[in-house]
Amino acid sequence: MDTSTFSALNTLWVLITAVLVFFMQTGFALVETGFTRTKNTTNILFKNLMDFSIGSVVFWIIGYGLMYGGGNGFIGEIEWFSKIDHGASVGLPNMAFFFFQLVFAATAATIVSGAMAERTKFKAYLIFSLVISAVIYPISGHWVWGGGWLSTMETPFHDFAGSTVVHSVGGWIALIGAAFLGPRRGKYKNGKAMAIPGHSLTLAALGVFILWVGWFGFNPGSTLGLSNPSLVASIFVTTNGAAAAGGIATLATTWIRYGKPTFSMTLNGVLAGLVAITAGCDVVTPGGAIIIGFMAGVLVVFSVEFFDKIVKIDDPVGAISVHGVCGAFGTLMVGIFSNNPDLLGILYGGNAQVLISQLIGVATVGGWAILCATILFFLLKHTVGIRVTAKEEEIGLDFFEHGEKAYN
């Protein structure tokens, strides 16, 4: 096969997988909608629509350059309108590489929506979604994928497709946002957490299936080409195995803990497995992926309980646990389960340095997201405000924020 044909195939592969990742926006929208109440459905769908719309423009204007521009170890360069070619370094047309990175940026922003659902001002949401895609995500992404300091350590930090770069960043921002917002009305009575059931497990389940499919673009697509078909196929298998194991583990955990298997939590177990495997999907065996997914499926149950009942942070969809906690967990597991000769985990005879590098990456990227989110939400809270009034929350955001209901 000549070089031009192979380049065209790689470009087609990256663009098709990018479309799969874009389709994950549908999955996130349906999961969030299903896990919340009918009176806020239009608001939730609208937020997910605008995540990608705003993210597309601001990442093109400035985010891409901040992430992949030369700059220094901390930040790229301000390269207006994505004109400088960063695709050539990976053998792709610049706009193909840009579009693939764009859909990842939009994913980080949309994760925040779920944890802050049902009580956030729409205009505040638009502002912080813009800041995430334009500044917060690109800068920490530069550290790992843009040639920044985490990628140039003696033992480089490894996050193949974004357990930390994408998911934990979104999860930790969601944690701070939900903490600033406070819980929904009626969530806590006399200090006890009360269940606020969502209106459609059918929509939530459809959303999870769509996300599962989309992850076959998220992880295998991060190879950025088909030069190593064995690796691409292996990533399909590790991604799927972790998802399946996560669902099984959560089913078993909830059955033992609550006396009945909980479907809504098991849906999050699948997502927990997917998030956890994303960092190491290219360097672990299928068996290692199943173990990582299984542990994430157990972890997500206890993490949701911890934030809900002990910390008392109201997260309607479990985004903090699924993306923040399980993203960090999966990234650390690279240091244990990697069987790549250049990145051997402890289980395969490697020393602790890989795990230490993973810990440094998780801590610093997480710290960056938390610091930025704290400043951002503090400023928003004391300027435009971030929470709707009690009356607006009680009657529903669809009516007060948008004047149109999803169900008539």
Side-chain angles (χ1 to χ4, degrees), residues 187 245 324 357 377:
K187 175 62 182 176
S357 292
F377 288 117

Side-chain angles (χ1 to χ4, degrees), residues 31 138 155 183 197 244 264 273 296 323 373 379 403 408:
V31 168
T155 301
S264 57
H323 299 280
L379 292 174
N408 294 294

Side-chain angles (χ1 to χ4, degrees), residues 1-10:
M1 185 182 296
D2 62 74
T3 303
S4 61
T5 303
F6 191 67
S7 177
L9 278 175
N10 284 342

Side-chain angles (χ1 to χ4, degrees), residues 384-406:
V384 299
I386 57 175
R387 183 160 185 152
V388 298
T389 66
K391 181 179 180 181
E392 290 170 342
E393 184 180 347
E394 184 176 350
I395 295 176
L397 304 187
D398 289 0
F399 177 78
F400 276 100
E401 290 274 30
H402 311 294
E404 51 185 346
K405 297 180 179 179

